[in-house]
Each structure stands twice: as structure tokens, then as C-alpha cells.
Amino acid sequence: MTDLALIRNFSIIAHIDHGKSTLADRLIQYTGGLAEREMTAQVLDNMDIERERGITIKAQTVRLDYKGKDGQTYQLNLMDTPGHVDFAYEVSRSLAACEGALLVVDAAQGVEAQTLANVYQSIEHDHEIVPVINKIDLPAAEPEKVKAEIEEVIGIDASDAVLTSAKAGIGIEEVLDAVVARIPPPGGDRNAPLKAMLVDSWYDPYLGVVILVRVIDGVIKKGLQVKFMAGGTEHLIDRVGCMRPKIEQLAELGPGEIGFITAQIKEVAQARVGDTITTVKGGAAEPLAGFKEVQPVVFCGLFPTDAADFEKLRDSIGKLRLNDASFSFEMETSAALGFGFRCGFLGLLHLEIIQERLSREYDLDLITTAPSVVYRLSMTDGSTQELHNPADMPDVVKIDTMEEPWIKATIYTPDEHLGSILKLCQDRRGIQTGLTYVGGRAQVNYELPLNEVVFDFYDRLKSISRGYASFDYEQIGLREGDLVKMNILVNNEPVDALSMIVHRSQAEARGRALCERLKDLIPRHLFKIPIQAAIGAKVIARETIAAMRKDVTAKCYGGDISRKKKLLEKQKEGKKRMREYGNVQIPQEAFIAALRMGEE
């Protein structure tokens, strides 16, 4: 049993690429969590995809023992969190389990959009924040300027910020001393009824569902009968332990401690993040305030390239869902693409990661339809409904108004790219709400419709700012918009996988671009094929694929003209009949390329 005064729970928060995971590595190495031969770079990023992209996707926890300057041994529970906006909910869970945070800021880059977003989350949880200025060994490092920027932008005192270089191992002991000295110990009563917060859960093929918990009051031991208050299920605990990053079994977890339990649970869905765990007999009366439920923001269809792979896809999505509770799916069918799933994601990066994990870990070949957001329709009969898939849109006559989600975006950019970024936001129907200068860089605030952002906004922003702009957003609710459903017709047949919801002012440009793209992608047939973009019955753009022509008069040489005319008339009849009954074969590649339209 550890004395509460010797426990410190803290997380590491920062913008992408400011060195969170590398700092975590050094802290583990310094405190002897792993032997030298077991150390690898980014030891807490245990998914292949995390290592390859150099980003953290899942928050990870590790327990370290550190002997302080006063000779006491402290138990430090460290949480390494993701920096990406799509995984902000991972950060909010980790913060709820801690009393303080290390704010890592790059000495060359300074404060960025995500730094701000994560700090404000931390301040909401009433945390003690310790600023750490990393990468001080870089030639471009300006620690004094960054200190001033932290004070100016965030408003926390940075005069005693710890200067480190996680890569070179400079200042690691100072970071640990600052954690011990400045982050408060947790509270909690050992003799009160058990209250533990479920921080994370994942599926392990050997142990079943592993649950990460932060004990607030009481004690968790092996053999306890516990109940999940929100889920309403009861379980018997068969293993208690902590991660040092390797699994270590313990006799119990007391108040203020973070560790894991297993209880022969087969489904991660039963272990909902933010739930309160208490004992069945004499448990807590009130659950803890949980986290807000995670809401998918972007929806798209996932279809197997080969229809025979559908069962495999269903299996794989089910398994992936075990480790990622933030991702939702339901079955859907499409005339063009067959059976598949409509999936909800937290953002485009999340979509990309899930897609890559499916193709990599489960060897699947997938087509994704154009991403769309959730619209709210107010019908003429007074009811409201949510629309996830443009193909399901009801008749326009029945719809009174349509609302779309809007976001508040904060963009940081060097001065020279400001003009092109403002133009990009204007083109995407943005409303500028603020423009200020912070430490030599512009901070732009915009309100933007989310469906303009999910398409390719982030890629365009990075390319026009040469990668220097940083972007963060939060949702601000729904607003009414003049939205229409645009259908693509090939040979007068609507193609459901290509229909999309767009703003009326941009429908024509989008439709024209898509028709031009399809004209190059669909192979020529023996008859003329019209490709049209239409809103309702009104065609707004059209391209025509010319027919392949067979020379029927080739065998006539010399002789009467009427013979040739007769053959040409016969061919004309045949083409007319073909145009009526002919089937246009749209190859799979054409779909994939048309759906990637925004990337050019």
C-alpha cells in the first residue's frame, strides 16, 4: 500500500511532433522502467501504424518509481496522449484520471493550435500545469522567446519552465523533480465504498478485455465482485496489476492509483469508457461524472472491392471495434458497390487510420465513398430526422429546412501565408471572427461549415502554408443552410455511390468537375453515353462520351450509294436500340478515382 502523498498522476500534452512520446521514453529509461536492451524509440506507441507515421493514436499509461531528492521513493503514473485533433477525446479521458500535466512546447516552433486546445482541456480539469520547453539543442531553438509566448498566449507563468532535450536526454531529472515538487498528490479515502473510473479498455487475445482504471476511493482486489454503474453488468475480478510498461501483477490498487483489471469480459462494448466501477455489496451511491459520449463527426461507406470479402470485412470491423470504441458502423447496400458498412469517425485522420488498419491487419481491399457529415432535417409534418447518407435523403417536397454542423477553427500561420489561407477559408463559406498576432505569427479564427472541412481542407491548408500552419477545431452546433442533393446520372441512370449533399452556390462547380473526371474514367462503348450532374430534375452539368464507331461500309467498294446508305441506316437503328437497352459498365477504378476528386 502506497502512501497517497508519494503518488503523482500526470499526463503529457502537446501539439503534434513536439516530442511527447520521446520525453516519455526518456522518463521510462531514467527511472529504470525497462532495461537498456528492451528500450526502443517511442516505446509506448505499440501499433505499427503509430511508429510508421510517428504519431500517437492511443493514450498509454506507465507506472514509474522515482527516488526523489528527499530520499523518498515516489510512484509516478504517466500518461502519454495523442496530439492530433481527431484523437482529442483520448486526451480528455487521460486528463480526467490525472492531477496535473506536463505541457511540452517545441523550443523552435513555439505554441501551436493543438497546444492551446489541450491546455484549455487541462485547465477545465483544474490541473497543475508544468511547462516543459523541449528540443533546446536545435540550432533554431529560442527558449526565452517561447517562454514569453507561453505567458502571452496561454497566460500561465513560464518563468520556471523546465528546459530539456528529450532526444539528447538533457534535463530529464529536472522534469521528474518538477513533477514531484509541483504536481499535487491525489486525494481519496481507503475506507470509503469503492469508486473507480474506467479510463480505457482494449482487447487482449490472451486476457480478454483489459480495463484501465483510476481508483478514486476504496480498494480494488482480486476476487471482488464489482458492478459497472452505467453498463449495469456485474463481474468478478480475476487479475489486478499495472504497466511498467510490461504487465506486472499486484495484490491491490488503492485510492489515487492507476492500474488495470481483467474480469473475464468478452466484449469491449460492456466496458464503456467513463463508467464508474463499484462493489456489488455496499457500493457507492452516486456514479462519478463521466466523459461526454464520443460523437462521430464524419461518415462514409466502406465497401470491399471483391463482393466475396463482405463476411471478412464484417468480422474485421467487429474486431477493430474491440480496440477503438470511438468508431461506429451499420450495414448498408449500394446498387453500384454491393454490400458494405456505413461507418462513423471522429475526423478524416481517424478514417484514414481505420482504413489503413483494415487493409493492413486484416488484408482487405476497400473502397470508401465520399465522406459526409450528419445533417438535421426538419420535415413539413413537424418531425425531425438525422441524415447520415446522402442516398437516403427524402423527397425535397417533404423537407422544410436543412441544418448542417458548423465548427470554430483556430489557425496559426506564419505571416507570408496569411493571404492564401484567408482566401481558402472564404472559398469554403467561412466567416472570419478574429485575427490577432502572437509572437510573430498570425492567429486566425473562423467559423466554417464542417462539410467543407471534411473533404480536403486540411490537405489544402498544409500545402498552401508549406506545412507551417496548424489547425484545431471544435463544433459549435447546427445552422440552417441552402443545401441540395446532387445526383450523378450515367446514361440517365443515377449512381447512388456518387450522390452528395452540397451548398447550392457550389453545386455547379462540383458537378462540372465530377462530370469531367468521369468522362476520362469511363471507357467508351458502342453508343453515346451522357454523364450529367443534376439537382432534382434540373441538369446543372453535362459531358458526353462519344461512341466507338464500327465502319460498316468497309466491305463496299464502288457501286451504288444507296447500298452504303442502307447499311448506315441499319447501324443507326442498332445504336438507337443499344442506347435504350445498353448497360454502361463503370469500372471500379472509375469510382475510386471519382471519389478522390478533392485531392487534385
Side-chain angles (χ1 to χ4, degrees):
M1 150 182 178
T2 314
D3 180 6
L4 275 177
L6 298 177
I7 299 177
R8 299 286 184 274
N9 297 324
F10 65 100
S11 55
I12 303 184
I13 54 176
H15 187 78
I16 312 148
D17 270 352
H18 281 202
K20 294 178 293 297
S21 298
T22 312
L23 180 63
D25 284 355
R26 289 299 152 273
L27 296 177
I28 292 168
Q29 205 170 357
Y30 189 88
T31 56
L34 285 174
E36 279 300 321
R37 63 188 174 78
E38 295 170 308
M39 274 308 289
T40 51
Q42 277 83 36
V43 71
L44 294 179
D45 291 347
N46 47 20
M47 283 197 283
D48 287 347
I49 189 163
E50 288 183 311
R51 290 170 173 268
E52 270 174 38
R53 289 176 171 238
I55 57 176
T56 303
I57 295 168
K58 294 288 285 176
Q60 298 287 350
T61 313
V62 59
R63 177 180 292 192
L64 309 169
D65 291 329
Y66 174 59
K67 199 164 181 158
K69 293 228 163 87
D70 52 6
Q72 300 272 24
T73 300
Y74 289 90
Q75 175 193 319
L76 309 180
N77 291 308
L78 147 81
M79 295 187 131
D80 179 24
T81 62
H84 233 280
V85 61
D86 284 13
F87 308 114
Y89 86 105
E90 287 272 346
V91 182
S92 74
R93 303 195 313 211
S94 309
L95 292 177
C98 300
E99 278 79 37
L102 293 181
L103 170 68
V104 179
V105 184
D106 186 322
Q109 306 260 348
V111 175
E112 305 242 20
Q114 218 63 45
T115 318
L116 271 183
N118 290 341
V119 166
Y120 290 150
Q121 269 194 340
S122 195
I123 292 171
E124 270 171 35
H125 287 290
D126 205 17
H127 278 181
E128 185 59 44
I129 296 171
V130 179
V132 175
I133 295 175
N134 190 20
K135 309 192 186 182
I136 56 164
D137 55 339
L138 289 180
E142 298 175 287
E144 291 311 311
K145 186 176 158 200
V146 173
K147 276 186 190 178
E149 202 173 311
I150 291 176
E151 290 182 359
E152 184 186 336
V153 182
I154 303 171
I156 56 177
D157 177 25
S159 55
D160 50 358
V162 188
L163 302 181
T164 66
S165 163
K167 199 165 186 179
I170 304 166
I172 301 304
E173 190 177 348
E174 286 79 2
V175 173
L176 289 162
D177 287 336
V179 167
V180 168
R182 290 158 64 181
I183 290 178
D189 179 359
R190 197 178 166 81
N191 303 317
L194 172 67
K195 256 192 191 176
M197 179 191 280
L198 202 159
V199 182
D200 197 1
S201 56
W202 64 91
Y203 188 78
D204 182 293
Y206 302 109
L207 307 173
V209 176
V210 181
I211 296 171
L212 187 69
V213 292
R214 154 75 201 263
V215 183
I216 309 291
D217 289 325
V219 180
I220 286 191
K221 297 188 174 107
K222 186 176 168 178
L224 258 188
Q225 188 80 23
V226 294
K227 127 169 141 206
F228 291 2
M229 292 175 90
T233 52
E234 295 186 4
H235 304 280
L236 180 73
I237 292 178
D238 58 12
R239 193 184 271 103
V240 175
C242 67
M243 306 288 204
R244 289 182 180 272
K246 292 191 297 215
I247 286 180
E248 180 178 305
Q249 296 209 33
L250 302 170
E252 59 169 46
L253 286 173
E257 296 194 278
I258 296 177
F260 72 86
I261 56 172
T262 61
Q264 296 177 352
I265 304 171
K266 302 282 184 289
E267 286 283 319
V268 171
Q270 291 176 4
R272 286 225 296 283
V273 167
D275 203 342
T276 305
I277 302 173
T278 186
T279 47
V280 174
K281 289 187 184 134
E286 286 291 302
L288 300 159
F291 317 107
K292 50 184 186 292
E293 270 290 294
V294 50
Q295 295 294 334
V297 177
V298 179
F299 285 83
C300 83
L302 288 180
F303 293 88
T305 327
D306 179 2
D309 282 345
F310 174 70
E311 282 304 322
K312 188 174 167 191
L313 175 65
R314 178 193 303 217
D315 241 27
S316 314
I317 286 188
K319 284 181 184 158
L320 202 58
R321 164 85 195 179
L322 287 175
N323 280 1
D324 190 346
S326 55
F327 145 69
S328 59
F329 62 92
E330 57 187 44
M331 218 182 113
E332 75 165 348
T333 56
S334 143
L337 301 170
F339 288 101
F341 291 93
R342 187 98 199 142
C343 304
F345 307 93
L346 299 174
L348 281 189
L349 178 76
H350 190 205
L351 180 152
E352 212 179 300
I353 297 286
I354 294 272
Q355 199 185 336
E356 194 160 329
R357 284 183 68 186
L358 282 170
S359 66
R360 201 182 261 203
E361 294 170 26
Y362 303 102
D363 195 27
L364 283 163
D365 216 359
L366 298 173
I367 298 170
T368 47
T369 62
S372 72
V373 297
V374 187
Y375 301 93
R376 193 193 305 148
L377 313 179
S378 303
M379 314 305 275
T380 44
D381 62 3
S383 64
T384 57
Q385 65 182 62
E386 287 196 338
L387 177 70
H388 294 230
N389 187 351
D392 301 336
M393 185 160 156
D395 194 357
V396 191
V397 188
K398 296 180 184 161
I399 300 173
D400 187 24
T401 57
M402 256 180 104
E403 292 174 301
E404 58 176 341
W406 277 65
I407 59 167
K408 185 169 96 195
T410 310
I411 300 170
Y412 273 82
T413 170
D415 223 7
E416 64 265 29
H417 307 301
L418 185 61
S420 44
I421 285 176
L422 293 179
K423 183 178 181 308
L424 172 72
C425 295
Q426 261 358 101
D427 290 349
R428 297 301 168 96
R429 306 190 284 147
I431 301 167
Q432 188 175 337
T433 56
L435 171 60
T436 49
Y437 277 86
V438 179
R441 284 180 308 165
Q443 176 189 333
V444 193
N445 294 20
Y446 257 94
E447 289 179 356
L448 288 154
L450 185 62
N451 73 350
E452 297 289 342
V453 175
V454 297
F455 215 55
D456 60 339
F457 181 82
Y458 193 62
D459 301 341
R460 303 267 326 122
L461 179 75
K462 284 291 184 202
S463 63
I464 59 182
S465 68
R466 306 213 312 274
Y468 280 109
S470 66
F471 166 72
D472 176 53
Y473 66 86
E474 58 179 294
Q475 288 191 277
I476 51 173
L478 295 153
R479 295 185 188 175
E480 200 178 310
D482 185 9
L483 300 164
V484 289
K485 175 183 172 187
M486 182 173 78
N487 281 318
I488 299 292
L489 309 168
V490 175
N491 200 22
N492 304 325
E493 291 286 321
V495 181
D496 58 352
L498 295 177
S499 57
M500 56 175 78
I501 290 175
V502 289
H503 194 264
R504 198 181 291 276
S505 63
Q506 292 176 326
E508 198 176 321
R510 280 267 172 93
R512 183 160 293 141
L514 201 48
C515 289
E516 282 172 11
R517 192 78 182 257
L518 281 170
K519 182 187 176 185
D520 301 334
L521 295 167
I522 296 175
R524 287 168 66 182
H525 288 52
L526 288 169
F527 51 95
K528 203 160 63 180
I529 304 171
I531 299 172
Q532 296 158 311
I535 297 172
K538 182 184 171 198
V539 174
I540 53 171
R542 169 175 171 141
E543 292 286 335
T544 309
I545 300 175
M548 281 177 7
R549 182 155 180 257
K550 184 181 174 199
D551 189 0
V552 283
T553 58
K555 59 176 185 282
C556 305
Y557 42 91
D560 191 2
I561 187 76
S562 61
R563 172 92 182 112
K564 287 187 180 176
K565 273 193 172 155
K566 191 175 166 190
L567 286 168
L568 289 168
E569 285 298 319
K570 201 170 162 191
Q571 182 185 35
K572 205 159 145 195
E573 286 294 312
K575 287 205 169 179
K576 188 173 161 195
R577 199 165 61 245
M578 239 174 169
R579 198 160 50 240
E580 282 168 19
Y581 305 114
N583 234 341
V584 180
Q585 296 296 320
I586 305 180
Q588 209 87 49
E589 301 82 70
F591 271 112
I592 299 170
L595 294 171
R596 290 211 179 117
M597 191 175 91
E599 291 175 15
E600 304 292 77

